[in-house]
Amino acid sequence: MTRPPILILQPDRARPAAAVADGLARRGHATIACLLRSADDLPGRGLLDRVGGVVVLDAASCDAAGHAAVLDWLAECRARERPLLGIGRGGELLTRLLGGTVDADAPVRGWFPLSLRPPAASTPWLQRLGTSLPHGLLWQDRSWQPPPGAVPLLGSAPDACVAWAARGALALRVHIELTAALYARWLEQWAATPARHGLGWQDHASLAAASAAVGAQRVLAEHLLDAWLEPPAAPLP
């Protein structure tokens, strides 16, 4: 059976959603990549008739009017009942779209153990993810309050909610798009970043030593993609 393609919006060519695209391909979904550098790059709405879902890898860097245009476009996706998956800044867009809030917060960068939030443990997410979760890579300077009716899904030491789920939408702080190659590029970039102290900012040496964590996070990504694409008969939230 031919499955509809998935549209992936990404901010630049150097930061593709490689692991996500690979996972989608294994599930029979081709992907359509679209650079989202400003609201002018938004695909024509006719494309939504062809795709089976939309992944928003990051938020576009644009002014307030452009930001509103991106949200309007995502609202059209929502109105057409296209599943939405937001990662990083993309998750922040989905949070705002569904009525949650996003606020500036202490910078976070590093690998942190993840835990299933108690509200999620009473839903089918427990069967999907289990309770033995890996470390997840977080890289953020904002926090969110999930939208009304959304299930807080995953938590970590520096952030009580790094993922939430709602009907037809999944928002993640955890960078499940990461591959070993992309992580190597990020490590090179971070090597020139001044060190910061505190729970939310790991030094470059610890980040480099944690490269094996990419594989464990990849397993988590597979489970999250399964749940996003094929939710069980009982509602996930």
Side-chain angles (χ1 to χ4, degrees):
M1 179 178 67
T2 302
R3 298 190 174 189
I6 303 295
L7 178 63
I8 299 180
L9 305 181
Q10 63 189 64
D12 58 64
R13 296 187 189 279
R15 194 173 171 186
V20 172
D22 289 348
L24 292 171
R26 286 192 297 275
R27 289 158 177 80
H29 292 275
T31 53
I32 302 171
C34 175
L35 289 178
L36 183 57
R37 297 157 298 192
S38 73
D40 293 336
D41 294 326
L42 287 167
R45 301 193 181 210
L47 182 61
L48 293 180
D49 293 330
R50 296 174 45 208
V51 301
V54 179
V55 177
V56 188
L57 182 61
D58 225 322
S61 298
C62 52
D63 58 19
H67 192 77
V70 174
L71 287 174
D72 286 345
W73 188 89
L74 290 172
E76 176 69 15
C77 297
R78 187 81 174 160
R80 298 192 185 201
E81 299 184 342
R82 297 299 184 264
L84 299 173
L85 170 61
I87 303 171
R89 299 286 196 211
E92 293 176 5
L93 279 173
L94 298 192
T95 300
R96 289 193 170 103
L97 176 69
L98 273 66
T101 59
V102 178
D103 298 299
D105 207 341
V108 169
R109 186 190 70 185
W111 291 95
F112 299 93
L114 301 174
S115 59
L116 194 67
R117 293 292 308 276
S122 61
T123 73
W125 281 106
L126 177 61
Q127 288 73 44
R128 287 287 192 183
L129 301 181
T131 56
S132 298
L133 299 174
H135 284 57
L137 182 70
L138 306 178
W139 184 13
Q140 64 192 59
D141 58 5
R142 303 178 193 178
S143 61
W144 59 33
Q145 290 295 325
V151 174
L153 185 58
L154 299 174
S156 70
D159 194 337
C161 182
V162 296
W164 59 259
R167 188 179 296 277
L170 178 60
L172 307 171
R173 291 281 189 196
V174 183
H175 285 279
I176 66 167
E177 79 275 23
L178 201 62
T179 61
L182 180 56
Y183 189 53
R185 290 201 295 273
W186 285 4
L187 285 176
E188 183 178 356
Q189 172 186 339
W190 293 338
T193 302
R196 303 187 186 188
H197 299 287
L199 176 66
W201 196 264
Q202 294 174 10
D203 62 31
H204 185 261
S206 65
L207 287 166
S211 60
V214 176
Q217 183 180 266
R218 186 83 174 252
V219 176
L220 173 66
E222 296 287 333
H223 294 315
L224 289 167
L225 284 177
D226 281 339
W228 179 60
L229 290 170
E230 299 179 8
L236 288 176

